[in-house]
PDB file of all heavy atoms in Angstrom:
ATOM      1  N   LYS A 209       8.553  -6.250  -8.286  1.00  0.00           N
ATOM      2  CA  LYS A 209       8.690  -6.243  -6.834  1.00  0.00           C
ATOM      3  C   LYS A 209       8.784  -4.799  -6.359  1.00  0.00           C
ATOM      4  O   LYS A 209       9.581  -4.017  -6.890  1.00  0.00           O
ATOM      5  CB  LYS A 209       9.961  -7.005  -6.460  1.00  0.00           C
ATOM      6  CG  LYS A 209      10.195  -7.175  -5.000  1.00  0.00           C
ATOM      7  CD  LYS A 209      11.441  -8.037  -4.808  1.00  0.00           C
ATOM      8  CE  LYS A 209      11.674  -8.331  -3.370  1.00  0.00           C
ATOM      9  NZ  LYS A 209      12.852  -9.197  -3.192  1.00  0.00           N
ATOM     10  N   ARG A 210       7.947  -4.459  -5.378  1.00  0.00           N
ATOM     11  CA  ARG A 210       7.942  -3.095  -4.836  1.00  0.00           C
ATOM     12  C   ARG A 210       7.956  -3.149  -3.318  1.00  0.00           C
ATOM     13  O   ARG A 210       7.324  -4.019  -2.712  1.00  0.00           O
ATOM     14  CB  ARG A 210       6.699  -2.344  -5.285  1.00  0.00           C
ATOM     15  CG  ARG A 210       6.682  -2.119  -6.768  1.00  0.00           C
ATOM     16  CD  ARG A 210       6.128  -0.775  -7.074  1.00  0.00           C
ATOM     17  NE  ARG A 210       6.227  -0.540  -8.504  1.00  0.00           N
ATOM     18  CZ  ARG A 210       5.337   0.109  -9.189  1.00  0.00           C
ATOM     19  NH1 ARG A 210       4.278   0.586  -8.598  1.00  0.00           N
ATOM     20  NH2 ARG A 210       5.500   0.305 -10.471  1.00  0.00           N
ATOM     21  N   THR A 211       8.654  -2.183  -2.712  1.00  0.00           N
ATOM     22  CA  THR A 211       8.748  -2.092  -1.265  1.00  0.00           C
ATOM     23  C   THR A 211       8.094  -0.793  -0.811  1.00  0.00           C
ATOM     24  O   THR A 211       8.317   0.267  -1.401  1.00  0.00           O
ATOM     25  CB  THR A 211      10.222  -2.114  -0.815  1.00  0.00           C
ATOM     26  OG1 THR A 211      10.825  -3.316  -1.294  1.00  0.00           O
ATOM     27  CG2 THR A 211      10.325  -2.064   0.699  1.00  0.00           C
ATOM     28  N   TYR A 212       7.287  -0.903   0.242  1.00  0.00           N
ATOM     29  CA  TYR A 212       6.576   0.253   0.798  1.00  0.00           C
ATOM     30  C   TYR A 212       6.852   0.341   2.293  1.00  0.00           C
ATOM     31  O   TYR A 212       6.992  -0.679   2.966  1.00  0.00           O
ATOM     32  CB  TYR A 212       5.068   0.112   0.594  1.00  0.00           C
ATOM     33  CG  TYR A 212       4.663   0.018  -0.850  1.00  0.00           C
ATOM     34  CD1 TYR A 212       4.549  -1.220  -1.481  1.00  0.00           C
ATOM     35  CD2 TYR A 212       4.383   1.153  -1.592  1.00  0.00           C
ATOM     36  CE1 TYR A 212       4.182  -1.320  -2.811  1.00  0.00           C
ATOM     37  CE2 TYR A 212       4.017   1.066  -2.925  1.00  0.00           C
ATOM     38  CZ  TYR A 212       3.920  -0.165  -3.525  1.00  0.00           C
ATOM     39  OH  TYR A 212       3.562  -0.257  -4.842  1.00  0.00           O
ATOM     40  N   THR A 213       6.900   1.560   2.818  1.00  0.00           N
ATOM     41  CA  THR A 213       7.016   1.777   4.254  1.00  0.00           C
ATOM     42  C   THR A 213       5.621   1.958   4.826  1.00  0.00           C
ATOM     43  O   THR A 213       4.838   2.771   4.328  1.00  0.00           O
ATOM     44  CB  THR A 213       7.867   3.035   4.548  1.00  0.00           C
ATOM     45  OG1 THR A 213       9.162   2.836   3.981  1.00  0.00           O
ATOM     46  CG2 THR A 213       7.994   3.266   6.033  1.00  0.00           C
ATOM     47  N   LEU A 214       5.322   1.184   5.855  1.00  0.00           N
ATOM     48  CA  LEU A 214       4.017   1.273   6.513  1.00  0.00           C
ATOM     49  C   LEU A 214       4.118   2.210   7.707  1.00  0.00           C
ATOM     50  O   LEU A 214       5.081   2.153   8.470  1.00  0.00           O
ATOM     51  CB  LEU A 214       3.563  -0.113   6.974  1.00  0.00           C
ATOM     52  CG  LEU A 214       3.337  -1.137   5.871  1.00  0.00           C
ATOM     53  CD1 LEU A 214       3.047  -2.500   6.476  1.00  0.00           C
ATOM     54  CD2 LEU A 214       2.198  -0.719   4.974  1.00  0.00           C
ATOM     55  N   LYS A 215       3.132   3.054   7.859  1.00  0.00           N
ATOM     56  CA  LYS A 215       3.070   3.967   9.003  1.00  0.00           C
ATOM     57  C   LYS A 215       1.985   3.481   9.955  1.00  0.00           C
ATOM     58  O   LYS A 215       0.937   3.004   9.528  1.00  0.00           O
ATOM     59  CB  LYS A 215       2.762   5.380   8.527  1.00  0.00           C
ATOM     60  CG  LYS A 215       3.861   5.942   7.674  1.00  0.00           C
ATOM     61  CD  LYS A 215       3.529   7.330   7.204  1.00  0.00           C
ATOM     62  CE  LYS A 215       4.718   7.840   6.430  1.00  0.00           C
ATOM     63  NZ  LYS A 215       4.407   8.420   5.184  1.00  0.00           N
ATOM     64  N   ASN A 216       2.265   3.607  11.241  1.00  0.00           N
ATOM     65  CA  ASN A 216       1.319   3.242  12.304  1.00  0.00           C
ATOM     66  C   ASN A 216       0.990   1.752  12.334  1.00  0.00           C
ATOM     67  O   ASN A 216      -0.131   1.371  12.652  1.00  0.00           O
ATOM     68  CB  ASN A 216       0.031   4.064  12.207  1.00  0.00           C
ATOM     69  CG  ASN A 216       0.292   5.545  12.314  1.00  0.00           C
ATOM     70  OD1 ASN A 216       1.080   5.971  13.144  1.00  0.00           O
ATOM     71  ND2 ASN A 216      -0.347   6.322  11.470  1.00  0.00           N
ATOM     72  N   LEU A 217       1.973   0.915  12.011  1.00  0.00           N
ATOM     73  CA  LEU A 217       1.812  -0.529  12.150  1.00  0.00           C
ATOM     74  C   LEU A 217       2.149  -0.861  13.595  1.00  0.00           C
ATOM     75  O   LEU A 217       3.298  -0.758  14.011  1.00  0.00           O
ATOM     76  CB  LEU A 217       2.731  -1.275  11.179  1.00  0.00           C
ATOM     77  CG  LEU A 217       2.667  -2.798  11.211  1.00  0.00           C
ATOM     78  CD1 LEU A 217       1.257  -3.287  10.867  1.00  0.00           C
ATOM     79  CD2 LEU A 217       3.689  -3.390  10.256  1.00  0.00           C
ATOM     80  N   ASP A 218       1.133  -1.232  14.381  1.00  0.00           N
ATOM     81  CA  ASP A 218       1.288  -1.322  15.824  1.00  0.00           C
ATOM     82  C   ASP A 218       1.562  -2.707  16.391  1.00  0.00           C
ATOM     83  O   ASP A 218       1.975  -2.815  17.536  1.00  0.00           O
ATOM     84  CB  ASP A 218       0.035  -0.765  16.511  1.00  0.00           C
ATOM     85  CG  ASP A 218      -0.153   0.712  16.233  1.00  0.00           C
ATOM     86  OD1 ASP A 218       0.844   1.399  15.985  1.00  0.00           O
ATOM     87  OD2 ASP A 218      -1.313   1.169  16.247  1.00  0.00           O
ATOM     88  N   CYS A 219       1.300  -3.769  15.637  1.00  0.00           N
ATOM     89  CA  CYS A 219       1.521  -5.094  16.234  1.00  0.00           C
ATOM     90  C   CYS A 219       1.830  -6.148  15.171  1.00  0.00           C
ATOM     91  O   CYS A 219       1.433  -6.030  14.017  1.00  0.00           O
ATOM     92  CB  CYS A 219       0.323  -5.521  17.073  1.00  0.00           C
ATOM     93  SG  CYS A 219      -1.145  -5.956  16.147  1.00  0.00           S
ATOM     94  N   ALA A 220       2.549  -7.172  15.612  1.00  0.00           N
ATOM     95  CA  ALA A 220       2.939  -8.255  14.715  1.00  0.00           C
ATOM     96  C   ALA A 220       1.726  -9.055  14.259  1.00  0.00           C
ATOM     97  O   ALA A 220       1.685  -9.539  13.122  1.00  0.00           O
ATOM     98  CB  ALA A 220       3.947  -9.162  15.406  1.00  0.00           C
ATOM     99  N   THR A 221       0.739  -9.185  15.101  1.00  0.00           N
ATOM    100  CA  THR A 221      -0.473  -9.916  14.734  1.00  0.00           C
ATOM    101  C   THR A 221      -1.191  -9.205  13.590  1.00  0.00           C
ATOM    102  O   THR A 221      -1.650  -9.858  12.640  1.00  0.00           O
ATOM    103  CB  THR A 221      -1.414 -10.070  15.938  1.00  0.00           C
ATOM    104  OG1 THR A 221      -0.714 -10.769  16.968  1.00  0.00           O
ATOM    105  CG2 THR A 221      -2.670 -10.819  15.575  1.00  0.00           C
ATOM    106  N   CYS A 222      -1.262  -7.889  13.654  1.00  0.00           N
ATOM    107  CA  CYS A 222      -1.881  -7.116  12.571  1.00  0.00           C
ATOM    108  C   CYS A 222      -1.111  -7.323  11.268  1.00  0.00           C
ATOM    109  O   CYS A 222      -1.717  -7.483  10.209  1.00  0.00           O
ATOM    110  CB  CYS A 222      -1.920  -5.635  12.917  1.00  0.00           C
ATOM    111  SG  CYS A 222      -3.077  -5.222  14.236  1.00  0.00           S
ATOM    112  N   ALA A 223       0.212  -7.323  11.345  1.00  0.00           N
ATOM    113  CA  ALA A 223       1.033  -7.538  10.148  1.00  0.00           C
ATOM    114  C   ALA A 223       0.729  -8.899   9.533  1.00  0.00           C
ATOM    115  O   ALA A 223       0.576  -9.013   8.310  1.00  0.00           O
ATOM    116  CB  ALA A 223       2.515  -7.424  10.490  1.00  0.00           C
ATOM    117  N   ALA A 224       0.608  -9.922  10.361  1.00  0.00           N
ATOM    118  CA  ALA A 224       0.298 -11.267   9.863  1.00  0.00           C
ATOM    119  C   ALA A 224      -1.089 -11.326   9.237  1.00  0.00           C
ATOM    120  O   ALA A 224      -1.280 -11.949   8.181  1.00  0.00           O
ATOM    121  CB  ALA A 224       0.417 -12.284  10.995  1.00  0.00           C
ATOM    122  N   LEU A 225      -2.061 -10.670   9.857  1.00  0.00           N
ATOM    123  CA  LEU A 225      -3.422 -10.640   9.309  1.00  0.00           C
ATOM    124  C   LEU A 225      -3.461  -9.896   7.976  1.00  0.00           C
ATOM    125  O   LEU A 225      -4.160 -10.295   7.041  1.00  0.00           O
ATOM    126  CB  LEU A 225      -4.390 -10.000  10.303  1.00  0.00           C
ATOM    127  CG  LEU A 225      -4.683 -10.799  11.567  1.00  0.00           C
ATOM    128  CD1 LEU A 225      -5.474  -9.948  12.560  1.00  0.00           C
ATOM    129  CD2 LEU A 225      -5.438 -12.070  11.228  1.00  0.00           C
ATOM    130  N   MET A 226      -2.695  -8.811   7.886  1.00  0.00           N
ATOM    131  CA  MET A 226      -2.619  -8.053   6.632  1.00  0.00           C
ATOM    132  C   MET A 226      -2.015  -8.913   5.527  1.00  0.00           C
ATOM    133  O   MET A 226      -2.538  -8.945   4.406  1.00  0.00           O
ATOM    134  CB  MET A 226      -1.784  -6.789   6.825  1.00  0.00           C
ATOM    135  CG  MET A 226      -2.460  -5.739   7.656  1.00  0.00           C
ATOM    136  SD  MET A 226      -1.313  -4.384   7.994  1.00  0.00           S
ATOM    137  CE  MET A 226      -2.237  -3.468   9.215  1.00  0.00           C
ATOM    138  N   GLU A 227      -0.912  -9.599   5.840  1.00  0.00           N
ATOM    139  CA  GLU A 227      -0.277 -10.488   4.854  1.00  0.00           C
ATOM    140  C   GLU A 227      -1.268 -11.518   4.334  1.00  0.00           C
ATOM    141  O   GLU A 227      -1.393 -11.730   3.132  1.00  0.00           O
ATOM    142  CB  GLU A 227       0.902 -11.236   5.482  1.00  0.00           C
ATOM    143  CG  GLU A 227       2.206 -10.550   5.388  1.00  0.00           C
ATOM    144  CD  GLU A 227       3.343 -11.437   5.864  1.00  0.00           C
ATOM    145  OE1 GLU A 227       3.151 -12.635   6.133  1.00  0.00           O
ATOM    146  OE2 GLU A 227       4.459 -10.899   5.960  1.00  0.00           O
ATOM    147  N   GLU A 228      -1.961 -12.162   5.248  1.00  0.00           N
ATOM    148  CA  GLU A 228      -2.926 -13.201   4.876  1.00  0.00           C
ATOM    149  C   GLU A 228      -4.013 -12.648   3.957  1.00  0.00           C
ATOM    150  O   GLU A 228      -4.376 -13.265   2.966  1.00  0.00           O
ATOM    151  CB  GLU A 228      -3.546 -13.799   6.134  1.00  0.00           C
ATOM    152  CG  GLU A 228      -4.475 -14.954   5.883  1.00  0.00           C
ATOM    153  CD  GLU A 228      -5.039 -15.516   7.171  1.00  0.00           C
ATOM    154  OE1 GLU A 228      -4.343 -15.479   8.208  1.00  0.00           O
ATOM    155  OE2 GLU A 228      -6.190 -15.994   7.136  1.00  0.00           O
ATOM    156  N   SER A 229      -4.511 -11.476   4.291  1.00  0.00           N
ATOM    157  CA  SER A 229      -5.568 -10.860   3.494  1.00  0.00           C
ATOM    158  C   SER A 229      -5.064 -10.450   2.105  1.00  0.00           C
ATOM    159  O   SER A 229      -5.729 -10.672   1.097  1.00  0.00           O
ATOM    160  CB  SER A 229      -6.127  -9.645   4.234  1.00  0.00           C
ATOM    161  OG  SER A 229      -7.144  -9.033   3.490  1.00  0.00           O
ATOM    162  N   ILE A 230      -3.878  -9.860   2.055  1.00  0.00           N
ATOM    163  CA  ILE A 230      -3.323  -9.371   0.796  1.00  0.00           C
ATOM    164  C   ILE A 230      -2.987 -10.526  -0.147  1.00  0.00           C
ATOM    165  O   ILE A 230      -3.118 -10.401  -1.366  1.00  0.00           O
ATOM    166  CB  ILE A 230      -2.090  -8.483   1.068  1.00  0.00           C
ATOM    167  CG1 ILE A 230      -2.553  -7.192   1.754  1.00  0.00           C
ATOM    168  CG2 ILE A 230      -1.323  -8.177  -0.212  1.00  0.00           C
ATOM    169  CD1 ILE A 230      -1.429  -6.364   2.340  1.00  0.00           C
ATOM    170  N   ARG A 231      -2.599 -11.673   0.403  1.00  0.00           N
ATOM    171  CA  ARG A 231      -2.270 -12.834  -0.442  1.00  0.00           C
ATOM    172  C   ARG A 231      -3.452 -13.250  -1.310  1.00  0.00           C
ATOM    173  O   ARG A 231      -3.257 -13.840  -2.365  1.00  0.00           O
ATOM    174  CB  ARG A 231      -1.846 -14.009   0.425  1.00  0.00           C
ATOM    175  CG  ARG A 231      -0.409 -13.964   0.775  1.00  0.00           C
ATOM    176  CD  ARG A 231       0.134 -15.283   1.271  1.00  0.00           C
ATOM    177  NE  ARG A 231       1.540 -15.102   1.544  1.00  0.00           N
ATOM    178  CZ  ARG A 231       2.025 -14.756   2.720  1.00  0.00           C
ATOM    179  NH1 ARG A 231       1.232 -14.600   3.736  1.00  0.00           N
ATOM    180  NH2 ARG A 231       3.319 -14.593   2.878  1.00  0.00           N
ATOM    181  N   GLY A 232      -4.658 -12.931  -0.901  1.00  0.00           N
ATOM    182  CA  GLY A 232      -5.843 -13.306  -1.659  1.00  0.00           C
ATOM    183  C   GLY A 232      -6.171 -12.393  -2.826  1.00  0.00           C
ATOM    184  O   GLY A 232      -7.128 -12.639  -3.555  1.00  0.00           O
ATOM    185  N   ILE A 233      -5.395 -11.342  -3.031  1.00  0.00           N
ATOM    186  CA  ILE A 233      -5.667 -10.396  -4.112  1.00  0.00           C
ATOM    187  C   ILE A 233      -5.112 -10.938  -5.422  1.00  0.00           C
ATOM    188  O   ILE A 233      -3.940 -11.321  -5.504  1.00  0.00           O
ATOM    189  CB  ILE A 233      -5.031  -9.015  -3.812  1.00  0.00           C
ATOM    190  CG1 ILE A 233      -5.617  -8.426  -2.536  1.00  0.00           C
ATOM    191  CG2 ILE A 233      -5.221  -8.066  -4.994  1.00  0.00           C
ATOM    192  CD1 ILE A 233      -4.937  -7.152  -2.075  1.00  0.00           C
ATOM    193  N   GLU A 234      -5.954 -10.950  -6.448  1.00  0.00           N
ATOM    194  CA  GLU A 234      -5.510 -11.383  -7.771  1.00  0.00           C
ATOM    195  C   GLU A 234      -4.454 -10.415  -8.285  1.00  0.00           C
ATOM    196  O   GLU A 234      -4.644  -9.193  -8.238  1.00  0.00           O
ATOM    197  CB  GLU A 234      -6.692 -11.427  -8.734  1.00  0.00           C
ATOM    198  CG  GLU A 234      -6.355 -12.055 -10.049  1.00  0.00           C
ATOM    199  CD  GLU A 234      -7.564 -12.239 -10.931  1.00  0.00           C
ATOM    200  OE1 GLU A 234      -8.663 -12.433 -10.397  1.00  0.00           O
ATOM    201  OE2 GLU A 234      -7.385 -12.167 -12.152  1.00  0.00           O
ATOM    202  N   GLY A 235      -3.347 -10.944  -8.737  1.00  0.00           N
ATOM    203  CA  GLY A 235      -2.240 -10.114  -9.209  1.00  0.00           C
ATOM    204  C   GLY A 235      -1.073 -10.098  -8.237  1.00  0.00           C
ATOM    205  O   GLY A 235       0.038  -9.745  -8.608  1.00  0.00           O
ATOM    206  N   ILE A 236      -1.315 -10.478  -6.985  1.00  0.00           N
ATOM    207  CA  ILE A 236      -0.251 -10.539  -5.990  1.00  0.00           C
ATOM    208  C   ILE A 236       0.309 -11.959  -5.978  1.00  0.00           C
ATOM    209  O   ILE A 236      -0.409 -12.917  -5.711  1.00  0.00           O
ATOM    210  CB  ILE A 236      -0.764 -10.174  -4.578  1.00  0.00           C
ATOM    211  CG1 ILE A 236      -1.239  -8.725  -4.524  1.00  0.00           C
ATOM    212  CG2 ILE A 236       0.318 -10.424  -3.524  1.00  0.00           C
ATOM    213  CD1 ILE A 236      -0.152  -7.684  -4.637  1.00  0.00           C
ATOM    214  N   ASP A 237       1.597 -12.080  -6.286  1.00  0.00           N
ATOM    215  CA  ASP A 237       2.260 -13.384  -6.249  1.00  0.00           C
ATOM    216  C   ASP A 237       2.795 -13.690  -4.855  1.00  0.00           C
ATOM    217  O   ASP A 237       2.769 -14.831  -4.408  1.00  0.00           O
ATOM    218  CB  ASP A 237       3.410 -13.435  -7.264  1.00  0.00           C
ATOM    219  CG  ASP A 237       2.915 -13.302  -8.691  1.00  0.00           C
ATOM    220  OD1 ASP A 237       1.779 -13.732  -8.977  1.00  0.00           O
ATOM    221  OD2 ASP A 237       3.670 -12.762  -9.524  1.00  0.00           O
ATOM    222  N   ASP A 238       3.312 -12.661  -4.172  1.00  0.00           N
ATOM    223  CA  ASP A 238       3.839 -12.843  -2.818  1.00  0.00           C
ATOM    224  C   ASP A 238       3.791 -11.511  -2.090  1.00  0.00           C
ATOM    225  O   ASP A 238       3.885 -10.454  -2.705  1.00  0.00           O
ATOM    226  CB  ASP A 238       5.276 -13.367  -2.871  1.00  0.00           C
ATOM    227  CG  ASP A 238       5.756 -13.877  -1.516  1.00  0.00           C
ATOM    228  OD1 ASP A 238       4.905 -14.296  -0.701  1.00  0.00           O
ATOM    229  OD2 ASP A 238       6.975 -13.852  -1.272  1.00  0.00           O
ATOM    230  N   VAL A 239       3.649 -11.594  -0.776  1.00  0.00           N
ATOM    231  CA  VAL A 239       3.667 -10.403   0.071  1.00  0.00           C
ATOM    232  C   VAL A 239       4.414 -10.745   1.344  1.00  0.00           C
ATOM    233  O   VAL A 239       4.315 -11.855   1.860  1.00  0.00           O
ATOM    234  CB  VAL A 239       2.234  -9.892   0.392  1.00  0.00           C
ATOM    235  CG1 VAL A 239       1.414 -10.951   1.078  1.00  0.00           C
ATOM    236  CG2 VAL A 239       2.285  -8.623   1.217  1.00  0.00           C
ATOM    237  N   SER A 240       5.173  -9.779   1.821  1.00  0.00           N
ATOM    238  CA  SER A 240       5.893  -9.938   3.075  1.00  0.00           C
ATOM    239  C   SER A 240       5.790  -8.623   3.838  1.00  0.00           C
ATOM    240  O   SER A 240       6.116  -7.564   3.300  1.00  0.00           O
ATOM    241  CB  SER A 240       7.361 -10.277   2.802  1.00  0.00           C
ATOM    242  OG  SER A 240       8.083 -10.296   4.012  1.00  0.00           O
ATOM    243  N   ILE A 241       5.319  -8.703   5.079  1.00  0.00           N
ATOM    244  CA  ILE A 241       5.227  -7.512   5.918  1.00  0.00           C
ATOM    245  C   ILE A 241       6.068  -7.756   7.157  1.00  0.00           C
ATOM    246  O   ILE A 241       5.865  -8.731   7.878  1.00  0.00           O
ATOM    247  CB  ILE A 241       3.772  -7.192   6.310  1.00  0.00           C
ATOM    248  CG1 ILE A 241       2.956  -6.873   5.068  1.00  0.00           C
ATOM    249  CG2 ILE A 241       3.739  -6.019   7.293  1.00  0.00           C
ATOM    250  CD1 ILE A 241       1.485  -6.592   5.331  1.00  0.00           C
ATOM    251  N   SER A 242       7.019  -6.859   7.394  1.00  0.00           N
ATOM    252  CA  SER A 242       7.869  -6.946   8.571  1.00  0.00           C
ATOM    253  C   SER A 242       7.411  -5.921   9.594  1.00  0.00           C
ATOM    254  O   SER A 242       7.476  -4.710   9.345  1.00  0.00           O
ATOM    255  CB  SER A 242       9.331  -6.683   8.202  1.00  0.00           C
ATOM    256  OG  SER A 242      10.105  -6.552   9.383  1.00  0.00           O
ATOM    257  N   PHE A 243       6.971  -6.418  10.744  1.00  0.00           N
ATOM    258  CA  PHE A 243       6.553  -5.523  11.826  1.00  0.00           C
ATOM    259  C   PHE A 243       7.757  -4.738  12.353  1.00  0.00           C
ATOM    260  O   PHE A 243       7.646  -3.552  12.664  1.00  0.00           O
ATOM    261  CB  PHE A 243       5.903  -6.336  12.949  1.00  0.00           C
ATOM    262  CG  PHE A 243       5.709  -5.560  14.208  1.00  0.00           C
ATOM    263  CD1 PHE A 243       4.814  -4.514  14.267  1.00  0.00           C
ATOM    264  CD2 PHE A 243       6.436  -5.862  15.340  1.00  0.00           C
ATOM    265  CE1 PHE A 243       4.629  -3.776  15.426  1.00  0.00           C
ATOM    266  CE2 PHE A 243       6.256  -5.137  16.512  1.00  0.00           C
ATOM    267  CZ  PHE A 243       5.363  -4.097  16.551  1.00  0.00           C
ATOM    268  N   MET A 244       8.905  -5.387  12.436  1.00  0.00           N
ATOM    269  CA  MET A 244      10.098  -4.745  13.009  1.00  0.00           C
ATOM    270  C   MET A 244      10.592  -3.565  12.166  1.00  0.00           C
ATOM    271  O   MET A 244      10.995  -2.552  12.711  1.00  0.00           O
ATOM    272  CB  MET A 244      11.225  -5.768  13.178  1.00  0.00           C
ATOM    273  CG  MET A 244      10.895  -6.859  14.179  1.00  0.00           C
ATOM    274  SD  MET A 244      10.557  -6.236  15.840  1.00  0.00           S
ATOM    275  CE  MET A 244      12.164  -5.666  16.297  1.00  0.00           C
ATOM    276  N   THR A 245      10.552  -3.705  10.843  1.00  0.00           N
ATOM    277  CA  THR A 245      11.046  -2.630   9.975  1.00  0.00           C
ATOM    278  C   THR A 245       9.925  -1.776   9.398  1.00  0.00           C
ATOM    279  O   THR A 245      10.205  -0.774   8.737  1.00  0.00           O
ATOM    280  CB  THR A 245      11.877  -3.202   8.807  1.00  0.00           C
ATOM    281  OG1 THR A 245      11.033  -4.037   7.994  1.00  0.00           O
ATOM    282  CG2 THR A 245      13.072  -3.996   9.310  1.00  0.00           C
ATOM    283  N   CYS A 246       8.681  -2.194   9.624  1.00  0.00           N
ATOM    284  CA  CYS A 246       7.503  -1.501   9.069  1.00  0.00           C
ATOM    285  C   CYS A 246       7.587  -1.403   7.548  1.00  0.00           C
ATOM    286  O   CYS A 246       7.284  -0.370   6.954  1.00  0.00           O
ATOM    287  CB  CYS A 246       7.318  -0.132   9.695  1.00  0.00           C
ATOM    288  SG  CYS A 246       6.869  -0.209  11.425  1.00  0.00           S
ATOM    289  N   ARG A 247       8.010  -2.500   6.913  1.00  0.00           N
ATOM    290  CA  ARG A 247       8.116  -2.547   5.458  1.00  0.00           C
ATOM    291  C   ARG A 247       7.236  -3.653   4.900  1.00  0.00           C
ATOM    292  O   ARG A 247       7.103  -4.712   5.489  1.00  0.00           O
ATOM    293  CB  ARG A 247       9.547  -2.802   5.029  1.00  0.00           C
ATOM    294  CG  ARG A 247      10.485  -1.764   5.514  1.00  0.00           C
ATOM    295  CD  ARG A 247      11.347  -1.250   4.419  1.00  0.00           C
ATOM    296  NE  ARG A 247      12.312  -0.336   5.023  1.00  0.00           N
ATOM    297  CZ  ARG A 247      12.448   0.903   4.668  1.00  0.00           C
ATOM    298  NH1 ARG A 247      11.734   1.385   3.706  1.00  0.00           N
ATOM    299  NH2 ARG A 247      13.310   1.683   5.256  1.00  0.00           N
ATOM    300  N   MET A 248       6.650  -3.356   3.751  1.00  0.00           N
ATOM    301  CA  MET A 248       5.849  -4.328   3.029  1.00  0.00           C
ATOM    302  C   MET A 248       6.463  -4.499   1.645  1.00  0.00           C
ATOM    303  O   MET A 248       6.719  -3.521   0.945  1.00  0.00           O
ATOM    304  CB  MET A 248       4.408  -3.827   2.891  1.00  0.00           C
ATOM    305  CG  MET A 248       3.539  -4.690   2.003  1.00  0.00           C
ATOM    306  SD  MET A 248       1.818  -4.147   1.932  1.00  0.00           S
ATOM    307  CE  MET A 248       1.963  -2.518   1.187  1.00  0.00           C
ATOM    308  N   VAL A 249       6.696  -5.750   1.264  1.00  0.00           N
ATOM    309  CA  VAL A 249       7.220  -6.058  -0.058  1.00  0.00           C
ATOM    310  C   VAL A 249       6.133  -6.799  -0.812  1.00  0.00           C
ATOM    311  O   VAL A 249       5.636  -7.829  -0.359  1.00  0.00           O
ATOM    312  CB  VAL A 249       8.501  -6.923   0.022  1.00  0.00           C
ATOM    313  CG1 VAL A 249       8.989  -7.266  -1.380  1.00  0.00           C
ATOM    314  CG2 VAL A 249       9.582  -6.205   0.817  1.00  0.00           C
TER     315      VAL A 249
END
């Protein structure tokens, strides 16, 4: 499990679209992007 800080994350809709896209990557078991904290786990 790794946590990253996202820079220039401008909207909650973008965060949701990013999560959806990243979930399709082989090797990723789970992803969570918080628009409020600009963090991706």
Side-chain angles (χ1 to χ4, degrees):
K209 184 176 184 178
R210 294 218 175 144
T211 302
Y212 300 91
T213 300
L214 297 174
K215 295 179 177 132
N216 301 317
L217 180 60
D218 296 333
C219 72
T221 301
C222 290
L225 291 171
M226 289 173 190
E227 270 188 8
E228 185 179 328
S229 180
I230 292 168
R231 275 197 179 92
I233 299 173
E234 189 173 329
I236 296 291
D237 296 330
D238 193 26
V239 58
S240 174
I241 297 178
S242 170
F243 168 67
M244 295 300 292
T245 63
C246 292
R247 301 230 185 237
M248 173 176 63
V249 178

